[in-house]
Amino acid sequence: MKKKILTQDQEFKVMLLVLDKFLWLGFAVMALGMWTFFKQGLDALSTALSLFIAGAVILVLFMTLIVKEYAVLR
């Protein structure tokens, strides 16, 4: 079976789909941190803040990885 070769536009679209999933994951972790804070108040501040920071780290980490990978492919 012969492998198909993607065009640069097709590769970019696939990369955007993958990036979108990681952005949703980071947003979901940040939203869980916010929900924890609003639900439990100041008692869970450290847990909520940790979740919020973890979500932000996920967003920044995967964003830089994807941008760096795209810059190499170009």
Side-chain angles (χ1 to χ4, degrees), residues 17-74:
L17 289 172
V18 171
L19 177 64
D20 186 49
K21 302 306 181 246
F22 285 120
L23 290 176
W24 276 112
L25 176 68
F27 175 75
V29 173
M30 291 177 78
L32 179 64
M34 293 289 279
W35 181 75
T36 301
F37 176 69
F38 290 137
K39 188 77 173 173
Q40 298 177 1
L42 291 176
D43 297 335
L45 180 64
S46 64
T47 304
L49 194 58
S50 297
L51 284 170
F52 196 81
I53 291 172
V57 167
I58 289 171
L59 286 174
V60 170
L61 177 70
F62 284 112
M63 181 185 66
T64 55
L65 285 173
I66 295 292
V67 168
K68 184 183 281 187
E69 179 70 23
Y70 181 68
V72 167
L73 289 177
R74 272 179 113 186

